[in-house]
Amino acid sequence: MQSSNILLTAFRDTSAELLIANTTAYKTLILPNDKIKDSEKLIDAILVERFDYLISFGQRPNIKNKVHIETTARDDDFLISTNFDCDKLKLAFEQNGIVSKISNNAGTSFCNQLYLNGLKYISQNGLNTKMVFVHIPFEKNISDLESFSERIFYAIADILE
């Protein structure tokens, strides 16, 4: 969709990077896998260009050929939730043949940290950007990466139309 300004992010050397590496439909940002620098690069990108949608991808072990849509990032007792319509995204994934699960656990490391800092920055600065974090499987747990990627991008296009 060309009318919305969309940024996709992924961590370097992960299945998420493979997922977004060849897309030309959206702007992409590959993050260095550094808890501090990842968030700095994301915020720098937001400062340069205001995005309508920010979809971050990370990889999660122990899932196969499906995705987890994260609703919440946390820091100890502090929770922050996405303003993205996760139910609509789940439906779009499923209509495109991607099994999906709504999850309230963005993890405890890089993914959660990026999501937490991104959501906080958006909230604290009163931006209209809608951000969501999506976990995909490790590459070895995706039967057909090309088909999986196509279906992910069809779902994203469906939800943003």
Side-chain angles (χ1 to χ4, degrees), residues 46 54 83 117-131:
I46 295 170
L54 205 164
N83 57 354
N117 290 330
L119 290 173
K120 278 167 76 172
Y121 183 83
I122 289 165
S123 175
Q124 290 169 350
N125 290 280
L127 304 180
N128 290 324
T129 304
K130 296 193 182 312
M131 180 179 187

Side-chain angles (χ1 to χ4, degrees), residues 70-90:
E70 305 302 342
T71 62
T72 308
R74 60 180 35 104
D75 182 15
D76 294 323
D77 291 333
F78 175 77
L79 302 175
I80 188 166
S81 295
T82 183
N83 57 354
F84 201 99
D85 188 339
C86 293
D87 291 326
K88 188 174 178 183
L89 182 59
K90 182 181 190 308

Side-chain angles (χ1 to χ4, degrees), residues 1-150:
M1 177 178 168
Q2 300 303 327
S3 62
S4 290
N5 198 5
I6 301 159
L7 177 67
L8 306 180
T9 74
F11 298 101
R12 183 168 314 287
D13 299 325
T14 66
S15 58
E17 180 182 15
L18 296 174
L19 176 78
I20 73 168
N22 296 317
T23 185
T24 56
Y26 307 104
K27 293 178 179 101
T28 60
L29 177 65
I30 304 301
L31 302 167
N33 265 326
D34 177 293
K35 283 187 181 181
I36 294 170
K37 289 181 182 171
D38 293 338
S39 296
E40 288 174 349
K41 285 186 67 109
L42 175 65
I43 290 167
D44 286 347
I46 295 170
L47 283 169
V48 169
E49 189 169 350
R50 297 292 169 118
F51 294 98
D52 298 315
Y53 296 96
L54 205 164
I55 304 173
S56 292
F57 291 96
Q59 63 183 19
R60 172 170 273 164
N62 304 322
I63 62 173
K64 184 173 173 85
N65 295 320
K66 66 180 177 181
V67 299
H68 286 188
I69 303 162
E70 305 302 342
T71 62
T72 308
R74 60 180 35 104
D75 182 15
D76 294 323
D77 291 333
F78 175 77
L79 302 175
I80 188 166
S81 295
T82 183
N83 57 354
F84 201 99
D85 188 339
C86 293
D87 291 326
K88 188 174 178 183
L89 182 59
K90 182 181 190 308
L91 180 61
F93 280 142
E94 291 178 352
Q95 288 174 335
N96 284 281
I98 301 278
V99 175
S100 62
K101 175 184 173 185
I102 300 287
S103 167
N104 300 319
N105 182 6
T108 58
S109 194
F110 296 89
C111 301
N112 182 70
Q113 192 69 36
L114 179 75
Y115 202 22
L116 178 76
N117 290 330
L119 290 173
K120 278 167 76 172
Y121 183 83
I122 289 165
S123 175
Q124 290 169 350
N125 290 280
L127 304 180
N128 290 324
T129 304
K130 296 193 182 312
M131 180 179 187
V132 68
F133 197 99
V134 178
H135 274 115
I136 67 169
F138 279 50
E139 181 183 9
K140 68 181 182 179
N141 290 333
I142 301 173
S143 298
D144 181 343
L145 182 63
E146 185 176 339
S147 171
F148 188 81
S149 297
E150 283 178 5

